[in-house]
Every structure is written in C-alpha cells, then in structure tokens.
Amino acid sequence: MVIDRLIERIEQMKNPTAVGLDTSFDYLPDELRAGVSDLRGAAKAIVAFNKAIVDQIADIVPCVKVQIAYYEMYGLDGLQAFAETVRYAKEKGLIVITDAKRNDIGATAECYAKTFLGETAVGEAKFCAFDSDFLTVNAYLGSDGIKPFLGWMEKRDKGIFVLVKTSNPSGAELQDQKLENGKTVYEYMGSLVEQWGRASVGIYGYSAVGAVVGATHPVQAEILRREMPHTFFLIPGYGAQGGTADDLKVCFDKNGRGGIVNSSRGILCAYRKDDYAGLRFDEAARRACLAMKNDLNRAING
Amino acid sequence: MVIDRLIERIEQMKNPTAVGLDTSFDYLPDELRAGVSDLRGAAKAIVAFNKAIVDQIADIVPCVKVQIAYYEMYGLDGLQAFAETVRYAKEKGLIVITDAKRNDIGATAECYAKTFLGETAVGEAKFCAFDSDFLTVNAYLGSDGIKPFLGWMEKRDKGIFVLVKTSNPSGAELQDQKLENGKTVYEYMGSLVEQWGRASVGIYGYSAVGAVVGATHPVQAEILRREMPHTFFLIPGYGAQGGTADDLKVCFDKNGRGGIVNSSRGILCAYRKDDYAGLRFDEAARRACLAMKNDLNRAING
C-alpha cells in the first residue's frame, strides 16, 4: 500500500521530509529567468528548475509535494509543466503528493478523483490525466464528496490527505470554533478522517487517508495525534511560515512515525540565503534538505 | 460592477438561470462520440457540444457555470477545452462563473486568484490563464485564504461565490453542526461571507462576494436569506438533484432578486427526455431552458 511505501521510504532515508515544488517563476535564479517574456517560456524554465532540484534530492528525500496552483497560474503551459514535474519526480523514485485541495459533491468529486488518482474512460481507452500517489482534498462537503476518492484509492493503490488543521493564522476562524459537544471543528473533521481511513489501514497502523495538520499549531497537533491514532499527517508550515521542528514533534508517535513535513520556499530559495552563498540553486537545495533532515531527526528522535 | 451586470442581465432576460456546462463526454449524443478514442478527440467533441449549446441559449440565459472538474479529467486537452468554452461563452455575451471551489493559504490562494480572476506577471508581460467573471471558492481556511481573491476582484471587477450550504446530502455532516453559540457552521460561514462582501456592495444592495446555497435545503436557505441580506446566492441542486422551484424561492428577496439557479444535466441531457424526443441536443437544451425559466418565474414571482 502507498502509505506503507511512504513510511518505508521515510525510514530508509531517515528523513520525514516532503519537498514542496511550489515553484513560482519569481523563485528562479536570474540565469533561468533571463529573456523569458511569455507563459511558455516561464513554464519551461520552471520545469528545468524542478528537474535540477529533483536530481539533487531524489536520493535523500522520500517525497515531493507539488502545489498545482503555482502551475495553473501559467495556464496550459503551466499545467504541462505540472504534468512533466510529476512524471519526472516519479521516474526518479519519489512519491508524489499533488497539493490541489480539490472538493465537490459526489459526481463532480468523481471527476477530480479520476484526474489525479483514477482513470478517465474514452470509449475503450483509459487515461489518468495527472497521475499522483496522493492528493490533498478539502472535506467541507462531507462524506459523499470524499467517497469517490476512496473508491479510486482502493482500485489503484493511492492516498489522500484531508485538510484538518491548516498552518495559516486564519485557519482558526472556522477550524477552532467549538461545537455544542465541546469539541472543535478541527477535532470533528479529524474524527471523520479517522472513519474514512478505516478500510485502508496498512501494516504500520496508518491509513491511506491522511490529514493536513500545520506545524504552526503544536497544541492542536498534540490533541489530533492522540485522537487520530491511525491517521498519517502531512505537516506544512515548517520554516518560512514559522513552525519549528520542536513545534511539530508532537505529530509523531513513540516510534518516530506518523507524519511527513513539507518545506517549499526554504528549499527552493535556499540559494538566496547567506548560509549557502556561492552554491548553485540545486546544490543549495540539497544542502538545505540535509540541514532540515538533521533538524527534524534531532527534534523527533533526539 | 460584475454583480450589478449579472443582476441586470437576469432582469433583462427575466431568467435567473445559470446553465452548468459540466460536460462529461458521456453526455454527448452518439454522433459526437462516434470514432473518438483519445483525450484530444473527447475534448474537441466537448467543445463542439458546448458551442452548440451556447449558441442556442445566449439570448435567453444570462450566465453559464463551467465546472472545471469535468475538463481536468481529460488532462491538458480537457483544460484547453475548458479555456475555449469560457472564451466562447464570454464572446457570446454570457457571464461566466468558473466552478472550481479553489482554496489554499494566502500565498497560494493568490496563485489561484491570478489564474481565474487576476493576472500572472512574467517579466513585463501579464496574462490571465482562465479569465472568468466569477469563481467559486471554499473558505475552510478562513480570511487569509479569501483576501487574495478580494484583491483581484477589486482590481479587475470580478466576483466570487463562497461555499456556505452545499446541495449534497453529506454537506450537513460539517455544515449543520451546531456551535457553542447555538448557530450552525453554515450560518457562521454565512456571517464571514457577509463581512468579506462589505467592500463590494453594488447598486442593487448585493455584493460581489456571493454564496453557494443549495436548492435542496429550503429551511436552511430561508435562514441564510434573512441573515445574509447583501449576499447573492448561487443555487445548485435544481432538477436532477431534487431541488424544486418552490424549494428555492426562499433564496429570493421581495423584489424577486438575490440568486441565480444552476442546472447542468437537466439542460445538457434534455435531448434524452421524452419531452424533447426528436429534437437535436442543442434545440432540446434551449427548450429545457425555457421550461426552467417559466418554472422559476412561476415560483419566485408568481
């Protein structure tokens, strides 16, 4: 199962990191941006940047998280860059989480499930448009918007991460509201996620229905870790957003398992930091990944 | 303002309908599907179908809602079909709502806002990848995930519809939960939407920050109409999902304003109904639009 493979790759590499390929054209070094003045040029430069990063990290990082919004804004050229990035990362052995936060009612959620996890049929032929290992989803619409994803997960060995407690400050506006029964909205969402995952628990006790739980909210993350014993966490908010390794260690169980931590800008733009002065952008990214690995291991297993 | 233009078109045409171009390849008549065996062929057939529908309805319907999930599942070819559909509908004078339910934290929501409402800069050049009049968004992540949309709305005269009370049965799981203060999650979300709309109230008293409120929940819709006096409703769930004109009339104010009702399958697949036997698919769609118009007017203004 995909969740078991993710956990095994994390343990082989001793590195619970997902590198976020949220590659804005603005993040690229001058030499890749020079002379580019249209969407196609920008998209090609982004793919070149991503491939160089993937080449540098594929042996030290188990997973990439590709944020589709950063590609959609470049239109069809951007989406082609997205597709190439996903394909290249998979070829290099990385597990790919597509971060798209898709959501809709049943029949339409089925279309999104086909797009990223399943298959679209045209006559006898079948295609997966943007074939990923995991997809992030938003469950404001409840179970019938989630079931189509569960169906394709089972058929094609895929997984999802459902938004529970997001890393941004305003996430609290709805998510921290208290319900009549004394629980918060995020805890209630967490309980739904545990239910949706019941049918896909793997050999390490974690299901293929994961949860997004921000590194920036250690108090809430500790509650969720306790209440969601079978749910693997995708943990954004480390680094640029202010979450530290010590903040997020509560997301991990006593075996040091249970989550994967995303960093995007901190890796992609490492070459701009004084620490990595003089290094090429991809070399700086590798060095930043190794520093992050050490920082996480110190906090989680130290 | 775009919300005023939408209201004026509805009144000129005496028709508060948005035709949903949720065009699955399976919805197409045999003659358009014959011989198609790949994504590109499917996408081209979908565009041909959509253009024929648009030609038949542009003089009687103010607006189309294009559900991007139905295009994403055909990959890059599908997204090209999406872009062509949006462009063609706008050329024919229709207001275009892109139904994409996008959502993310601030910096990433900014990318989505650029994609559908704003502009992506590459050097000196600026592009809007999928330029729409309105976009549906999901606000589980709170204000900082919404503000980027508000910024582009103001700059480029655009609007959004925020999910409040969705039409699907499981929407109730989270949305109908009661908070400590006795209000439901959907009412709380409604109060946020009213706040987000304060800066964009047009001449008819409705703001460019609308809400999605399902036709299938008349009791809740009546509460929301009262609590959200400045919020225009996008109303899904009419027809195939079971909502009737009498159910949804509570979404409208005493002047017969305040909402637009979506129908997708009921229009696109009208040619399969006995009522329209012998008509071409696009002629059947026009006839179904006129029947829906009469049904809505009878209930709302009758």
Side-chain angles (χ1 to χ4, degrees):
Chain A
M1 277 180 63
V2 67
I3 187 67
D4 295 333
R5 282 187 284 122
L6 177 59
I7 291 168
E8 284 160 10
R9 275 184 66 85
I10 289 170
E11 304 207 344
Q12 280 156 15
M13 293 180 169
K14 300 191 190 348
N15 191 3
T17 296
V19 169
L21 295 174
D22 309 12
T23 314
S24 174
F25 183 65
D26 302 333
Y27 294 174
L28 272 50
D30 292 344
E31 64 268 25
L32 283 177
R33 279 189 289 153
V36 174
S37 60
D38 62 7
L39 295 177
R40 179 153 300 176
K44 282 189 174 172
I46 288 168
V47 171
F49 180 87
N50 286 347
K51 285 186 174 176
I53 299 269
V54 165
D55 287 341
Q56 282 281 353
I57 64 168
D59 65 324
I60 55 170
V61 165
C63 178
V64 288
K65 179 174 84 62
V66 192
Q67 170 51 263
I68 198 169
Y70 282 81
Y71 301 84
E72 285 191 5
M73 71 175 170
Y74 300 102
L76 297 173
D77 295 305
L79 284 152
Q80 184 164 351
F82 170 76
E84 280 183 51
T85 297
V86 168
R87 202 161 42 229
Y88 192 78
K90 290 178 80 172
E91 276 170 25
K92 296 294 167 178
L94 287 153
I95 289 176
V96 174
I97 302 168
T98 286
D99 192 357
K101 299 185 175 59
R102 293 302 193 250
N103 66 105
D104 215 294
I105 65 168
T108 308
E110 174 72 21
C111 299
Y112 283 133
K114 286 175 175 172
T115 304
F116 297 102
L117 305 177
E119 284 170 334
T120 301
V122 179
E124 302 288 300
K126 287 173 184 172
F127 309 86
C128 184
F130 302 112
D131 200 7
S132 311
D133 296 303
F134 288 89
L135 179 71
T136 60
V137 302
N138 181 322
Y140 187 76
L141 290 95
S143 297
D144 56 27
I146 296 298
K147 281 183 184 149
F149 296 101
L150 303 181
W152 283 109
M153 278 169 50
E154 199 187 335
K155 270 181 251 175
R156 297 190 74 232
D157 189 19
K158 304 290 188 178
I160 56 174
F161 288 99
V162 181
L163 300 186
V164 173
K165 176 66 187 156
T166 59
S167 58
N168 60 320
S170 302
E173 284 172 8
L174 174 62
Q175 298 159 29
D176 287 12
Q177 287 289 317
K178 275 219 172 163
L179 301 174
E180 270 187 337
N181 66 6
K183 295 277 185 186
T184 57
V185 165
Y186 70 80
E187 287 176 278
Y188 175 70
M189 185 59 82
S191 71
L192 292 176
V193 171
E194 273 278 314
Q195 286 172 41
W196 293 326
R198 263 188 210 146
S200 64
V201 175
I203 55 178
Y204 302 102
Y206 287 104
S207 92
V209 181
V212 174
V213 177
T216 43
H217 308 298
V219 174
Q220 294 87 340
E222 190 169 11
I223 294 169
L224 289 171
R225 177 72 291 152
R226 197 168 55 236
E227 295 182 358
M228 303 174 75
H230 306 101
T231 303
F232 197 84
F233 292 175
L234 171 60
I235 308 161
Y238 173 84
Q241 287 183 51
T244 69
D246 291 306
D247 289 333
L248 61 82
K249 68 183 177 190
V250 294
C251 296
F252 290 80
D253 67 22
K254 63 180 179 356
N255 301 311
R257 286 182 189 135
I260 188 158
V261 183
N262 179 73
S263 178
S264 302
R265 240 177 314 162
I267 309 292
L268 302 184
C269 298
Y271 72 94
R272 294 177 178 169
K273 289 182 201 160
D274 290 343
D275 292 359
Y276 306 115
L279 291 181
R280 240 178 27 219
F281 71 89
D282 53 333
E283 295 167 340
R286 182 181 177 89
R287 291 272 293 276
C289 281
L290 291 170
M292 178 172 170
K293 171 185 167 178
N294 289 337
D295 184 38
L296 293 177
N297 280 317
R298 175 196 54 73
I300 298 165
N301 305 311
Chain B
M1 277 181 62
V2 68
I3 187 67
D4 295 333
R5 282 188 283 124
L6 178 59
I7 291 169
E8 283 159 11
R9 275 184 67 85
I10 290 171
E11 304 207 344
Q12 281 155 15
M13 294 180 169
K14 300 191 190 348
N15 192 2
T17 296
V19 169
L21 295 174
D22 308 12
T23 315
S24 175
F25 184 66
D26 303 334
Y27 294 174
L28 272 49
D30 292 345
E31 65 268 25
L32 283 176
R33 278 187 291 151
V36 174
S37 60
D38 62 6
L39 296 176
R40 180 154 299 178
K44 283 189 173 172
I46 288 168
V47 171
F49 180 89
N50 286 346
K51 286 186 173 176
I53 300 269
V54 165
D55 287 340
Q56 282 281 352
I57 64 166
D59 64 326
I60 55 169
V61 164
C63 177
V64 290
K65 180 175 83 64
V66 192
Q67 171 49 263
I68 199 169
Y70 281 81
Y71 301 84
E72 286 191 4
M73 71 175 171
Y74 300 103
L76 296 173
D77 295 306
L79 284 152
Q80 184 163 354
F82 170 77
E84 281 184 49
T85 297
V86 168
R87 201 161 44 226
Y88 192 78
K90 289 179 80 173
E91 277 170 24
K92 296 293 167 178
L94 288 152
I95 289 175
V96 174
I97 302 169
T98 286
D99 192 357
K101 298 184 175 63
R102 294 301 194 254
N103 66 105
D104 215 295
I105 65 168
T108 308
E110 173 72 21
C111 300
Y112 282 134
K114 287 176 176 171
T115 303
F116 297 102
L117 305 178
E119 286 170 333
T120 301
V122 179
E124 301 289 300
K126 287 175 183 172
F127 309 86
C128 184
F130 302 113
D131 199 8
S132 311
D133 296 303
F134 288 89
L135 178 71
T136 61
V137 302
N138 181 323
Y140 187 75
L141 291 94
S143 298
D144 57 26
I146 296 298
K147 281 184 183 147
F149 297 101
L150 302 182
W152 283 108
M153 278 169 51
E154 199 188 333
K155 269 181 255 177
R156 297 191 75 233
D157 190 20
K158 305 290 189 178
I160 57 173
F161 288 100
V162 181
L163 299 185
V164 172
K165 175 67 186 156
T166 60
S167 58
N168 59 320
S170 303
E173 284 171 10
L174 174 62
Q175 298 160 27
D176 287 13
Q177 287 289 319
K178 277 219 171 161
L179 301 174
E180 269 187 337
N181 66 5
K183 295 278 184 185
T184 57
V185 165
Y186 70 79
E187 287 177 277
Y188 175 69
M189 185 60 82
S191 70
L192 292 177
V193 170
E194 274 277 314
Q195 286 173 38
W196 293 327
R198 262 186 213 149
S200 64
V201 175
I203 56 177
Y204 302 103
Y206 287 104
S207 90
V209 181
V212 175
V213 177
T216 44
H217 307 297
V219 174
Q220 293 87 341
E222 192 169 9
I223 295 168
L224 289 171
R225 178 71 292 154
R226 198 168 52 236
E227 296 182 358
M228 302 172 76
H230 306 100
T231 304
F232 198 83
F233 291 175
L234 171 62
I235 308 161
Y238 173 85
Q241 286 182 52
T244 69
D246 291 306
D247 289 334
L248 61 82
K249 68 182 176 190
V250 295
C251 295
F252 291 79
D253 66 23
K254 63 179 179 357
N255 301 311
R257 287 184 189 133
I260 189 159
V261 184
N262 179 72
S263 178
S264 302
R265 241 178 313 162
I267 308 291
L268 304 183
C269 299
Y271 72 94
R272 292 177 180 170
K273 289 182 200 160
D274 290 344
D275 293 358
Y276 305 114
L279 292 180
R280 239 178 28 216
F281 72 90
D282 52 335
E283 293 166 342
R286 182 180 177 87
R287 291 274 292 274
C289 280
L290 291 170
M292 179 172 170
K293 171 185 167 177
N294 290 336
D295 185 37
L296 294 178
N297 280 317
R298 175 196 55 72
I300 298 166
N301 305 312

